[in-house]
Amino acid sequence: MRPVLDNEAIMAIRDQYSVWTGLSYTTPPLVSTSLGGCFDCVPVLDLLGSYEGFSFSGNVLSLDPDVSFMKNM
């Protein structure tokens, strides 16, 4: 099978970065809340090395809210 574009013939392994963070708060005695987040990035250009071949680049931001109710504590 022939690639659609000439630079698709060689796939490149790209840098990838992830950052995770989160906060949690408990209101005694019943409720606990939290909020987490994640940012994933595959940049267009590598930080180290050269740009050789074809790859897909992009960014993803994810948020993870949570509310928990406690019983019999």
Side-chain angles (χ1 to χ4, degrees):
M1 181 174 174
R2 185 169 190 264
V4 175
L5 301 173
D6 291 336
N7 67 345
E8 289 181 349
I10 299 172
M11 296 295 287
I13 298 174
R14 308 298 302 183
D15 292 342
Q16 181 173 346
Y17 309 99
S18 293
V19 176
W20 290 79
T21 188
L23 299 169
S24 179
Y25 182 75
T26 302
T27 307
L30 297 176
V31 179
S32 174
T33 61
S34 66
L35 178 64
C38 177
F39 178 72
D40 295 313
C41 175
V42 178
V44 174
L45 299 174
D46 285 334
L47 182 63
L48 300 173
S50 63
Y51 177 74
E52 299 288 333
F54 175 77
S55 67
F56 292 102
S57 302
N59 300 316
V60 176
L61 176 63
S62 303
L63 295 177
D64 183 20
D66 180 55
V67 176
S68 300
F69 297 96
M70 296 173 267
K71 182 178 174 183
N72 297 329
M73 295 207 57

